[in-house]
Amino acid sequence: MNQEAQGRTRPGLYVQAVLKWLGVSLVIGVVCGLIGSAFHMGVHKAELLRGAHPWLLWCLPVAGLAIVGIYKCTGTEGLGTNDVIDAVRLGKPVHIWLLPSIFLATVLTHLCGGSAGREGAALQMGGDVGAQAARLLQLDGRDSRTAVLCGMAAFFAALFGAPMTAAVFAVMVISVGQIYDAALVPCLLSALAAFFVSLELGVEPTRFAVTVPELTALTLVRVAGLAVLCALVSVLFCRGMHAVEHGLHRVLPNPWLRIAAGGAVIIALTLIFGTDYNGAGMNIITAAVEQGSARPEAFLLKLLFTAVTLGVGFKGGEVVPSFFVGATFGCVAAPLLGLPAGFGAAVGLVSVFCGAVNCPMAPVFLAVELFGAEGLLAYALGCGLSNMLSGYNGLYSSQTILYSKLKAQYINVHTNHHHAGQIHPDSPRDQGSLDREKSGD
């Protein structure tokens, strides 16, 4: 092909790509906005009902049995966020019944007092919408992966009202160190579409009022100290979640017995420690950030409640609990370092979240969308240090970390399995695995 023909063809390819993803992204975004808004309202209504009828807590074991039954009947038993990550990273299919299963199961979990968030369900439902849209539109394998990312971003944006965070999180969470940059614009379009649909349907975006101190050198040193502690808390959070889950599966391999027993444990814990740790706990997060008020033991109890809830098989997400843990810990630890409690809660929220998901940029955008840009330097410092010092722990075991957090070294390991330096950066096997992942083989 001569240069003149190439010049005519290449602009056409760009225009074709823009038009294609404009259409696909908007379709996925609108669908996710509608379902996401319904999901948000369902979870919110479930929590209101539980508050008005405390006796619903006693139904938690029965709700657990219903959840196991739903997953068995739909053939989605054992599926979760890790499978959606594998759909992008390895091209695996997403089960069509995952969306209704996680929708109903998460609402039941919140209705009866399980301790969980919403975003794990959001990533799964959004990924399912993206995967089914790709199938209906007959997209090829590579474009199908982008469609899954669009769904993940759109559902996240619909629930939290943070479209920029949603888009950046989607393109960075799969393989840390590799940005799916071709998916950034499609994900942002989907996230914006879902965000505006949710606004029209009455879903209020999550926002907090934070008083930011003057960002002097001493203030930033204190923020750095808090970030170091938050990195340790994120490690505790991730390891605690995985340890409880694996331990419970070993002790109680039968899913029916395990979830019923877990429901009974949550009931007992609630009777001992109160209802602050049931559900998502957004009211506790708000009190920590806006009022600078939190109990010293709150972050540990939320970890315990959430680990048991999700470990035995109830459904929801881990990200909002990580917000809870980070905000309450930061609120308590900040005054010890000379920082305002509410500001420390904000730094703690994004820093623990960052350490748990290994995505340093997304939590920075989240801080701006949740708290405003006034404390951006402090939030970025907290996220950066927490990401570096939290090591290779993470909430999602299917997530890969391609490059060391300590040096410019290619490692290509899964979270929770390895540490930097165990794999030689020039290893043909490792480079080959990266090439295969990039090529979609």
Side-chain angles (χ1 to χ4, degrees):
M1 183 181 295
N2 59 41
Q3 290 184 349
E4 183 179 355
Q6 289 180 349
R8 289 196 301 267
T9 303
R10 286 175 179 171
L13 291 176
Y14 289 111
V15 171
Q16 182 182 5
V18 169
L19 293 177
K20 176 181 70 177
W21 285 113
L22 180 62
V24 173
S25 298
L26 291 179
V27 168
I28 293 174
V30 169
V31 172
C32 286
L34 293 171
I35 300 175
S37 298
F39 178 67
H40 178 278
M41 295 172 187
V43 170
H44 181 64
K45 182 65 174 178
E47 293 195 327
L48 290 178
L49 283 173
R50 190 183 72 248
H53 305 285
W55 57 265
L56 284 169
L57 175 69
W58 296 93
C59 300
L60 189 59
V62 178
L65 296 175
I67 289 170
V68 174
I70 289 170
Y71 271 72
K72 283 187 175 294
C73 289
T74 57
T76 54
E77 188 178 12
L79 298 181
T81 305
N82 284 317
D83 297 279
V84 176
I85 291 176
D86 283 339
V88 178
R89 194 170 61 85
L90 303 174
K92 292 183 177 180
V94 180
H95 201 296
I96 191 171
W97 285 102
L98 182 60
L99 190 154
S101 298
I102 190 67
F103 189 114
L104 292 174
T106 303
V107 171
L108 281 174
T109 297
H110 283 266
L111 177 66
C112 297
S115 176
R118 298 166 292 175
E119 77 304 318
L123 296 179
Q124 293 174 46
M125 287 188 282
D128 199 353
V129 170
Q132 303 314 319
R135 183 179 61 83
L136 291 173
L137 297 172
Q138 298 182 340
L139 300 181
D140 63 31
R142 297 174 188 276
D143 285 346
S144 294
R145 301 181 190 198
T146 300
V148 173
L149 292 175
C150 287
M152 294 167 65
F155 229 102
F156 194 105
L159 290 184
F160 290 102
M164 191 66 237
T165 302
V168 173
F169 181 72
V171 300
M172 293 188 69
V173 72
I174 306 299
S175 299
V176 180
Q178 173 183 315
I179 299 176
Y180 290 76
D181 51 352
L184 179 58
V185 171
C187 285
L188 183 57
L189 290 172
S190 291
L192 288 171
F195 172 60
F196 285 114
V197 168
S198 68
L199 285 181
E200 288 296 320
L201 293 176
V203 177
E204 292 292 330
T206 304
R207 299 290 185 268
F208 299 98
V210 180
T211 301
V212 179
E214 183 181 359
L215 295 182
T216 63
L218 180 58
T219 300
L220 292 176
V221 169
R222 290 168 172 166
V223 168
L226 179 59
V228 172
L229 297 177
C230 287
L232 298 176
V233 171
S234 72
V235 172
L236 176 64
F237 182 74
C238 293
R239 291 192 177 183
M241 293 288 295
H242 293 302
V244 171
E245 180 181 7
H246 295 156
L248 288 171
H249 278 248
R250 284 195 303 269
V251 174
L252 295 171
N254 184 293
W256 304 93
L257 179 59
R258 182 173 61 247
I259 204 165
V265 170
I266 294 297
I267 292 173
L269 290 173
T270 303
L271 295 176
I272 296 170
F273 298 108
T275 59
D276 285 351
Y277 313 102
N278 303 110
M282 290 300 295
N283 58 323
I284 305 300
I285 297 172
T286 302
V289 174
E290 297 189 345
Q291 302 169 24
S293 174
R295 295 178 179 177
E297 72 280 7
F299 76 100
L300 289 173
L301 289 174
K302 185 62 175 179
L303 170 56
L304 175 61
F305 272 69
T306 305
V308 173
T309 297
L310 299 181
V312 299
F314 290 98
K315 301 301 176 180
E318 308 91 343
V319 170
V320 171
S322 80
F323 291 175
F324 186 116
V325 169
T328 53
F329 174 79
C331 182
V332 172
L336 302 178
L337 298 169
L339 294 171
F343 175 66
V347 173
L349 185 154
V350 294
S351 297
V352 171
F353 170 54
C354 182
V357 298
N358 295 299
C359 294
M361 294 305 300
V364 175
F365 283 103
L366 180 67
V368 174
E369 291 185 299
L370 292 185
F371 312 128
E374 186 179 356
L376 177 58
L377 285 177
Y379 303 137
L381 178 62
C383 291
L385 284 173
S386 181
N387 176 70
M388 178 181 181
L389 299 176
S390 60
Y392 300 88
N393 301 279
L395 291 175
Y396 311 123
S397 296
S398 288
Q399 183 185 51
T400 56
I401 298 180
L402 298 180
Y403 292 93
S404 169
K405 294 185 178 184
L406 303 178
K407 62 180 70 176
Q409 178 182 1
Y410 174 74
I411 55 174
N412 191 25
V413 298
H414 283 286
T415 54
N416 308 314
H417 289 174
H418 299 279
H419 297 281
Q422 285 191 329
I423 299 179
H424 193 276
D426 297 324
S427 167
R429 177 177 63 84
D430 297 331
Q431 187 59 51
S433 65
L434 178 60
D435 293 339
R436 286 192 297 274
E437 181 174 319
K438 287 182 176 179
S439 68
D441 293 339

mmCIF file of all heavy atoms in Angstrom, residues 23-66:
data_model
loop_
_atom_site.group_PDB
_atom_site.id
_atom_site.type_symbol
_atom_site.label_atom_id
_atom_site.label_comp_id
_atom_site.label_asym_id
_atom_site.label_seq_id
_atom_site.Cartn_x
_atom_site.Cartn_y
_atom_site.Cartn_z
ATOM 1 N N GLY A 23 -20.558 4.257 20.664
ATOM 2 C CA GLY A 23 -21.816 3.526 20.723
ATOM 3 C C GLY A 23 -21.820 2.429 21.764
ATOM 4 O O GLY A 23 -22.733 2.335 22.594
ATOM 5 N N VAL A 24 -20.771 1.585 21.752
ATOM 6 C CA VAL A 24 -20.711 0.457 22.691
ATOM 7 C C VAL A 24 -20.651 0.955 24.136
ATOM 8 O O VAL A 24 -21.355 0.442 25.020
ATOM 9 C CB VAL A 24 -19.497 -0.439 22.375
ATOM 10 C CG1 VAL A 24 -19.324 -1.513 23.454
ATOM 11 C CG2 VAL A 24 -19.648 -1.091 21.005
ATOM 12 N N SER A 25 -19.826 1.951 24.387
ATOM 13 C CA SER A 25 -19.655 2.458 25.753
ATOM 14 C C SER A 25 -20.941 3.060 26.297
ATOM 15 O O SER A 25 -21.301 2.858 27.465
ATOM 16 C CB SER A 25 -18.539 3.504 25.795
ATOM 17 O OG SER A 25 -17.305 2.945 25.410
ATOM 18 N N LEU A 26 -21.643 3.808 25.437
ATOM 19 C CA LEU A 26 -22.885 4.420 25.902
ATOM 20 C C LEU A 26 -23.940 3.366 26.201
ATOM 21 O O LEU A 26 -24.687 3.485 27.186
ATOM 22 C CB LEU A 26 -23.397 5.414 24.859
ATOM 23 C CG LEU A 26 -22.564 6.684 24.692
ATOM 24 C CD1 LEU A 26 -23.155 7.582 23.613
ATOM 25 C CD2 LEU A 26 -22.445 7.441 26.007
ATOM 26 N N VAL A 27 -24.013 2.327 25.372
ATOM 27 C CA VAL A 27 -24.976 1.252 25.634
ATOM 28 C C VAL A 27 -24.667 0.577 26.971
ATOM 29 O O VAL A 27 -25.554 0.397 27.820
ATOM 30 C CB VAL A 27 -24.960 0.213 24.490
ATOM 31 C CG1 VAL A 27 -25.733 -1.044 24.894
ATOM 32 C CG2 VAL A 27 -25.549 0.812 23.223
ATOM 33 N N ILE A 28 -23.399 0.208 27.166
ATOM 34 C CA ILE A 28 -23.016 -0.443 28.417
ATOM 35 C C ILE A 28 -23.232 0.496 29.594
ATOM 36 O O ILE A 28 -23.733 0.089 30.653
ATOM 37 C CB ILE A 28 -21.539 -0.899 28.338
ATOM 38 C CG1 ILE A 28 -21.385 -2.016 27.306
ATOM 39 C CG2 ILE A 28 -21.045 -1.366 29.714
ATOM 40 C CD1 ILE A 28 -19.945 -2.423 27.058
ATOM 41 N N GLY A 29 -22.877 1.768 29.429
ATOM 42 C CA GLY A 29 -23.028 2.725 30.513
ATOM 43 C C GLY A 29 -24.469 2.935 30.919
ATOM 44 O O GLY A 29 -24.789 2.985 32.114
ATOM 45 N N VAL A 30 -25.358 3.058 29.933
ATOM 46 C CA VAL A 30 -26.773 3.265 30.252
ATOM 47 C C VAL A 30 -27.355 2.040 30.948
ATOM 48 O O VAL A 30 -28.066 2.151 31.952
ATOM 49 C CB VAL A 30 -27.563 3.595 28.969
ATOM 50 C CG1 VAL A 30 -29.066 3.554 29.238
ATOM 51 C CG2 VAL A 30 -27.161 4.971 28.437
ATOM 52 N N VAL A 31 -27.047 0.847 30.427
ATOM 53 C CA VAL A 31 -27.560 -0.380 31.055
ATOM 54 C C VAL A 31 -27.025 -0.507 32.482
ATOM 55 O O VAL A 31 -27.780 -0.803 33.422
ATOM 56 C CB VAL A 31 -27.179 -1.619 30.219
ATOM 57 C CG1 VAL A 31 -27.545 -2.904 30.965
ATOM 58 C CG2 VAL A 31 -27.876 -1.583 28.866
ATOM 59 N N CYS A 32 -25.731 -0.279 32.659
ATOM 60 C CA CYS A 32 -25.159 -0.368 34.003
ATOM 61 C C CYS A 32 -25.715 0.719 34.919
ATOM 62 O O CYS A 32 -25.897 0.499 36.127
ATOM 63 C CB CYS A 32 -23.634 -0.257 33.935
ATOM 64 S SG CYS A 32 -22.809 -1.729 33.298
ATOM 65 N N GLY A 33 -25.970 1.900 34.362
ATOM 66 C CA GLY A 33 -26.569 2.959 35.165
ATOM 67 C C GLY A 33 -27.944 2.579 35.671
ATOM 68 O O GLY A 33 -28.291 2.839 36.833
ATOM 69 N N LEU A 34 -28.742 1.966 34.813
ATOM 70 C CA LEU A 34 -30.089 1.551 35.211
ATOM 71 C C LEU A 34 -30.044 0.438 36.255
ATOM 72 O O LEU A 34 -30.698 0.516 37.306
ATOM 73 C CB LEU A 34 -30.871 1.078 33.975
ATOM 74 C CG LEU A 34 -31.208 2.158 32.938
ATOM 75 C CD1 LEU A 34 -31.788 1.517 31.682
ATOM 76 C CD2 LEU A 34 -32.182 3.168 33.514
ATOM 77 N N ILE A 35 -29.252 -0.607 35.964
ATOM 78 C CA ILE A 35 -29.175 -1.730 36.910
ATOM 79 C C ILE A 35 -28.466 -1.291 38.190
ATOM 80 O O ILE A 35 -28.859 -1.673 39.300
ATOM 81 C CB ILE A 35 -28.447 -2.928 36.269
ATOM 82 C CG1 ILE A 35 -29.191 -3.398 35.022
ATOM 83 C CG2 ILE A 35 -28.343 -4.079 37.269
ATOM 84 C CD1 ILE A 35 -28.479 -4.502 34.255
ATOM 85 N N GLY A 36 -27.412 -0.491 38.041
ATOM 86 C CA GLY A 36 -26.684 -0.018 39.209
ATOM 87 C C GLY A 36 -27.546 0.830 40.116
ATOM 88 O O GLY A 36 -27.462 0.736 41.352
ATOM 89 N N SER A 37 -28.392 1.671 39.540
ATOM 90 C CA SER A 37 -29.297 2.490 40.350
ATOM 91 C C SER A 37 -30.304 1.613 41.087
ATOM 92 O O SER A 37 -30.593 1.835 42.273
ATOM 93 C CB SER A 37 -30.023 3.500 39.464
ATOM 94 O OG SER A 37 -29.108 4.387 38.849
ATOM 95 N N ALA A 38 -30.837 0.610 40.375
ATOM 96 C CA ALA A 38 -31.762 -0.318 41.025
ATOM 97 C C ALA A 38 -31.071 -1.076 42.151
ATOM 98 O O ALA A 38 -31.654 -1.288 43.230
ATOM 99 C CB ALA A 38 -32.328 -1.301 39.990
ATOM 100 N N PHE A 39 -29.821 -1.463 41.916
ATOM 101 C CA PHE A 39 -29.060 -2.173 42.943
ATOM 102 C C PHE A 39 -28.814 -1.266 44.154
ATOM 103 O O PHE A 39 -28.990 -1.691 45.306
ATOM 104 C CB PHE A 39 -27.737 -2.644 42.352
ATOM 105 C CG PHE A 39 -26.834 -3.340 43.326
ATOM 106 C CD1 PHE A 39 -27.178 -4.570 43.862
ATOM 107 C CD2 PHE A 39 -25.629 -2.768 43.710
ATOM 108 C CE1 PHE A 39 -26.344 -5.221 44.762
ATOM 109 C CE2 PHE A 39 -24.794 -3.403 44.603
ATOM 110 C CZ PHE A 39 -25.148 -4.627 45.133
ATOM 111 N N HIS A 40 -28.400 -0.023 43.900
ATOM 112 C CA HIS A 40 -28.168 0.926 44.990
ATOM 113 C C HIS A 40 -29.436 1.107 45.816
ATOM 114 O O HIS A 40 -29.403 1.086 47.057
ATOM 115 C CB HIS A 40 -27.713 2.266 44.408
ATOM 116 C CG HIS A 40 -27.482 3.329 45.432
ATOM 117 N ND1 HIS A 40 -28.502 4.100 45.966
ATOM 118 C CD2 HIS A 40 -26.344 3.756 46.051
ATOM 119 C CE1 HIS A 40 -28.015 4.938 46.847
ATOM 120 N NE2 HIS A 40 -26.700 4.746 46.917
ATOM 121 N N MET A 41 -30.556 1.294 45.146
ATOM 122 C CA MET A 41 -31.825 1.481 45.851
ATOM 123 C C MET A 41 -32.220 0.228 46.617
ATOM 124 O O MET A 41 -32.751 0.309 47.738
ATOM 125 C CB MET A 41 -32.916 1.865 44.858
ATOM 126 C CG MET A 41 -32.697 3.210 44.196
ATOM 127 S SD MET A 41 -33.881 3.515 42.860
ATOM 128 C CE MET A 41 -33.230 5.039 42.165
ATOM 129 N N GLY A 42 -31.960 -0.938 46.026
ATOM 130 C CA GLY A 42 -32.281 -2.182 46.713
ATOM 131 C C GLY A 42 -31.486 -2.366 47.989
ATOM 132 O O GLY A 42 -32.039 -2.731 49.040
ATOM 133 N N VAL A 43 -30.178 -2.106 47.918
ATOM 134 C CA VAL A 43 -29.328 -2.229 49.104
ATOM 135 C C VAL A 43 -29.717 -1.191 50.148
ATOM 136 O O VAL A 43 -29.800 -1.493 51.350
ATOM 137 C CB VAL A 43 -27.842 -2.089 48.720
ATOM 138 C CG1 VAL A 43 -26.972 -1.975 49.970
ATOM 139 C CG2 VAL A 43 -27.401 -3.279 47.873
ATOM 140 N N HIS A 44 -29.975 0.045 49.691
ATOM 141 C CA HIS A 44 -30.366 1.109 50.620
ATOM 142 C C HIS A 44 -31.683 0.759 51.312
ATOM 143 O O HIS A 44 -31.811 0.923 52.544
ATOM 144 C CB HIS A 44 -30.489 2.426 49.861
ATOM 145 C CG HIS A 44 -30.875 3.592 50.728
ATOM 146 N ND1 HIS A 44 -30.069 4.064 51.746
ATOM 147 C CD2 HIS A 44 -31.989 4.384 50.739
ATOM 148 C CE1 HIS A 44 -30.652 5.097 52.322
ATOM 149 N NE2 HIS A 44 -31.819 5.298 51.748
ATOM 150 N N LYS A 45 -32.650 0.286 50.552
ATOM 151 C CA LYS A 45 -33.938 -0.097 51.137
ATOM 152 C C LYS A 45 -33.760 -1.261 52.110
ATOM 153 O O LYS A 45 -34.401 -1.289 53.181
ATOM 154 C CB LYS A 45 -34.897 -0.486 50.022
ATOM 155 C CG LYS A 45 -36.297 -0.861 50.504
ATOM 156 C CD LYS A 45 -37.001 0.326 51.141
ATOM 157 C CE LYS A 45 -38.452 -0.012 51.486
ATOM 158 N NZ LYS A 45 -39.149 1.118 52.144
ATOM 159 N N ALA A 46 -32.897 -2.208 51.756
ATOM 160 C CA ALA A 46 -32.645 -3.348 52.647
ATOM 161 C C ALA A 46 -32.079 -2.883 53.981
ATOM 162 O O ALA A 46 -32.481 -3.377 55.049
ATOM 163 C CB ALA A 46 -31.683 -4.329 51.977
ATOM 164 N N GLU A 47 -31.163 -1.921 53.946
ATOM 165 C CA GLU A 47 -30.566 -1.428 55.192
ATOM 166 C C GLU A 47 -31.590 -0.640 56.015
ATOM 167 O O GLU A 47 -31.586 -0.715 57.246
ATOM 168 C CB GLU A 47 -29.337 -0.594 54.885
ATOM 169 C CG GLU A 47 -28.195 -1.424 54.290
ATOM 170 C CD GLU A 47 -26.868 -0.697 54.312
ATOM 171 O OE1 GLU A 47 -26.867 0.545 54.165
ATOM 172 O OE2 GLU A 47 -25.830 -1.372 54.469
ATOM 173 N N LEU A 48 -32.460 0.104 55.332
ATOM 174 C CA LEU A 48 -33.514 0.823 56.058
ATOM 175 C C LEU A 48 -34.471 -0.159 56.730
ATOM 176 O O LEU A 48 -34.887 0.049 57.886
ATOM 177 C CB LEU A 48 -34.279 1.737 55.103
ATOM 178 C CG LEU A 48 -33.537 2.967 54.564
ATOM 179 C CD1 LEU A 48 -34.427 3.739 53.605
ATOM 180 C CD2 LEU A 48 -33.088 3.873 55.713
ATOM 181 N N LEU A 49 -34.817 -1.219 56.016
ATOM 182 C CA LEU A 49 -35.708 -2.225 56.594
ATOM 183 C C LEU A 49 -35.064 -2.903 57.795
ATOM 184 O O LEU A 49 -35.730 -3.149 58.812
ATOM 185 C CB LEU A 49 -36.072 -3.269 55.534
ATOM 186 C CG LEU A 49 -37.110 -2.847 54.490
ATOM 187 C CD1 LEU A 49 -37.239 -3.912 53.408
ATOM 188 C CD2 LEU A 49 -38.462 -2.610 55.156
ATOM 189 N N ARG A 50 -33.774 -3.201 57.691
ATOM 190 C CA ARG A 50 -33.088 -3.829 58.823
ATOM 191 C C ARG A 50 -33.062 -2.888 60.029
ATOM 192 O O ARG A 50 -33.215 -3.322 61.177
ATOM 193 C CB ARG A 50 -31.659 -4.219 58.437
ATOM 194 C CG ARG A 50 -30.982 -5.105 59.491
ATOM 195 C CD ARG A 50 -29.554 -5.416 59.148
ATOM 196 N NE ARG A 50 -28.677 -4.263 59.295
ATOM 197 C CZ ARG A 50 -28.070 -3.630 58.317
ATOM 198 N NH1 ARG A 50 -28.239 -4.020 57.066
ATOM 199 N NH2 ARG A 50 -27.295 -2.592 58.557
ATOM 200 N N GLY A 51 -32.862 -1.601 59.774
ATOM 201 C CA GLY A 51 -32.871 -0.644 60.867
ATOM 202 C C GLY A 51 -34.235 -0.524 61.529
ATOM 203 O O GLY A 51 -34.336 -0.362 62.754
ATOM 204 N N ALA A 52 -35.291 -0.608 60.713
ATOM 205 C CA ALA A 52 -36.644 -0.500 61.255
ATOM 206 C C ALA A 52 -37.113 -1.796 61.900
ATOM 207 O O ALA A 52 -37.986 -1.775 62.779
ATOM 208 C CB ALA A 52 -37.610 -0.094 60.140
ATOM 209 N N HIS A 53 -36.538 -2.918 61.472
ATOM 210 C CA HIS A 53 -36.948 -4.225 61.994
ATOM 211 C C HIS A 53 -35.702 -5.005 62.423
ATOM 212 O O HIS A 53 -35.219 -5.887 61.691
ATOM 213 C CB HIS A 53 -37.723 -5.011 60.933
ATOM 214 C CG HIS A 53 -38.910 -4.279 60.382
ATOM 215 N ND1 HIS A 53 -40.088 -4.121 61.089
ATOM 216 C CD2 HIS A 53 -39.092 -3.634 59.193
ATOM 217 C CE1 HIS A 53 -40.960 -3.434 60.364
ATOM 218 N NE2 HIS A 53 -40.372 -3.126 59.215
ATOM 219 N N PRO A 54 -35.165 -4.730 63.602
ATOM 220 C CA PRO A 54 -33.924 -5.383 64.045
ATOM 221 C C PRO A 54 -34.006 -6.897 64.088
ATOM 222 O O PRO A 54 -32.971 -7.579 64.029
ATOM 223 C CB PRO A 54 -33.713 -4.798 65.457
ATOM 224 C CG PRO A 54 -34.468 -3.503 65.456
ATOM 225 C CD PRO A 54 -35.650 -3.741 64.575
ATOM 226 N N TRP A 55 -35.210 -7.448 64.176
ATOM 227 C CA TRP A 55 -35.355 -8.904 64.235
ATOM 228 C C TRP A 55 -34.857 -9.587 62.956
ATOM 229 O O TRP A 55 -34.600 -10.802 62.953
ATOM 230 C CB TRP A 55 -36.816 -9.291 64.480
ATOM 231 C CG TRP A 55 -37.792 -8.755 63.473
ATOM 232 C CD1 TRP A 55 -38.525 -7.618 63.561
ATOM 233 C CD2 TRP A 55 -38.134 -9.345 62.207
ATOM 234 N NE1 TRP A 55 -39.310 -7.445 62.439
ATOM 235 C CE2 TRP A 55 -39.091 -8.500 61.601
ATOM 236 C CE3 TRP A 55 -37.742 -10.509 61.543
ATOM 237 C CZ2 TRP A 55 -39.640 -8.780 60.347
ATOM 238 C CZ3 TRP A 55 -38.290 -10.790 60.301
ATOM 239 C CH2 TRP A 55 -39.225 -9.936 59.715
ATOM 240 N N LEU A 56 -34.704 -8.814 61.859
ATOM 241 C CA LEU A 56 -34.212 -9.407 60.615
ATOM 242 C C LEU A 56 -32.809 -9.993 60.770
ATOM 243 O O LEU A 56 -32.418 -10.887 60.012
ATOM 244 C CB LEU A 56 -34.217 -8.359 59.490
ATOM 245 C CG LEU A 56 -35.590 -8.030 58.888
ATOM 246 C CD1 LEU A 56 -35.504 -6.812 57.987
ATOM 247 C CD2 LEU A 56 -36.134 -9.238 58.118
ATOM 248 N N LEU A 57 -32.055 -9.492 61.744
ATOM 249 C CA LEU A 57 -30.721 -10.047 61.996
ATOM 250 C C LEU A 57 -30.790 -11.546 62.273
ATOM 251 O O LEU A 57 -29.905 -12.309 61.849
ATOM 252 C CB LEU A 57 -30.076 -9.325 63.180
ATOM 253 C CG LEU A 57 -28.722 -9.863 63.657
ATOM 254 C CD1 LEU A 57 -27.648 -9.592 62.610
ATOM 255 C CD2 LEU A 57 -28.332 -9.227 64.990
ATOM 256 N N TRP A 58 -31.850 -11.982 62.950
ATOM 257 C CA TRP A 58 -31.976 -13.394 63.303
ATOM 258 C C TRP A 58 -32.242 -14.273 62.086
ATOM 259 O O TRP A 58 -32.141 -15.498 62.159
ATOM 260 C CB TRP A 58 -33.090 -13.572 64.339
ATOM 261 C CG TRP A 58 -32.782 -12.883 65.639
ATOM 262 C CD1 TRP A 58 -33.146 -11.633 66.009
ATOM 263 C CD2 TRP A 58 -32.011 -13.408 66.708
ATOM 264 N NE1 TRP A 58 -32.652 -11.330 67.258
ATOM 265 C CE2 TRP A 58 -31.947 -12.412 67.718
ATOM 266 C CE3 TRP A 58 -31.358 -14.631 66.936
ATOM 267 C CZ2 TRP A 58 -31.268 -12.581 68.907
ATOM 268 C CZ3 TRP A 58 -30.677 -14.814 68.126
ATOM 269 C CH2 TRP A 58 -30.640 -13.797 69.090
ATOM 270 N N CYS A 59 -32.576 -13.654 60.967
ATOM 271 C CA CYS A 59 -32.813 -14.397 59.729
ATOM 272 C C CYS A 59 -31.541 -14.591 58.909
ATOM 273 O O CYS A 59 -31.602 -15.188 57.814
ATOM 274 C CB CYS A 59 -33.853 -13.673 58.877
ATOM 275 S SG CYS A 59 -35.464 -13.481 59.674
ATOM 276 N N LEU A 60 -30.407 -14.096 59.412
ATOM 277 C CA LEU A 60 -29.176 -14.147 58.623
ATOM 278 C C LEU A 60 -28.784 -15.571 58.225
ATOM 279 O O LEU A 60 -28.418 -15.797 57.060
ATOM 280 C CB LEU A 60 -28.042 -13.459 59.386
ATOM 281 C CG LEU A 60 -26.737 -13.249 58.600
ATOM 282 C CD1 LEU A 60 -26.977 -12.414 57.348
ATOM 283 C CD2 LEU A 60 -25.685 -12.571 59.488
ATOM 284 N N PRO A 61 -28.827 -16.567 59.111
ATOM 285 C CA PRO A 61 -28.494 -17.933 58.673
ATOM 286 C C PRO A 61 -29.423 -18.440 57.567
ATOM 287 O O PRO A 61 -28.973 -19.115 56.629
ATOM 288 C CB PRO A 61 -28.633 -18.767 59.942
ATOM 289 C CG PRO A 61 -28.419 -17.784 61.059
ATOM 290 C CD PRO A 61 -29.041 -16.514 60.575
ATOM 291 N N VAL A 62 -30.713 -18.109 57.647
ATOM 292 C CA VAL A 62 -31.664 -18.525 56.616
ATOM 293 C C VAL A 62 -31.347 -17.830 55.294
ATOM 294 O O VAL A 62 -31.400 -18.443 54.218
ATOM 295 C CB VAL A 62 -33.112 -18.219 57.055
ATOM 296 C CG1 VAL A 62 -34.100 -18.600 55.958
ATOM 297 C CG2 VAL A 62 -33.435 -18.949 58.355
ATOM 298 N N ALA A 63 -31.009 -16.536 55.379
ATOM 299 C CA ALA A 63 -30.614 -15.808 54.172
ATOM 300 C C ALA A 63 -29.374 -16.442 53.551
ATOM 301 O O ALA A 63 -29.261 -16.538 52.317
ATOM 302 C CB ALA A 63 -30.344 -14.343 54.511
ATOM 303 N N GLY A 64 -28.466 -16.893 54.394
ATOM 304 C CA GLY A 64 -27.266 -17.559 53.888
ATOM 305 C C GLY A 64 -27.590 -18.825 53.132
ATOM 306 O O GLY A 64 -27.026 -19.093 52.055
ATOM 307 N N LEU A 65 -28.506 -19.606 53.662
ATOM 308 C CA LEU A 65 -28.918 -20.830 52.970
ATOM 309 C C LEU A 65 -29.563 -20.497 51.632
ATOM 310 O O LEU A 65 -29.349 -21.199 50.632
ATOM 311 C CB LEU A 65 -29.882 -21.626 53.848
ATOM 312 C CG LEU A 65 -29.309 -22.167 55.167
ATOM 313 C CD1 LEU A 65 -30.418 -22.829 55.991
ATOM 314 C CD2 LEU A 65 -28.170 -23.147 54.909
ATOM 315 N N ALA A 66 -30.341 -19.418 51.603
ATOM 316 C CA ALA A 66 -30.961 -18.998 50.353
ATOM 317 C C ALA A 66 -29.898 -18.587 49.329
ATOM 318 O O ALA A 66 -30.020 -18.885 48.136
ATOM 319 C CB ALA A 66 -31.925 -17.839 50.603
#
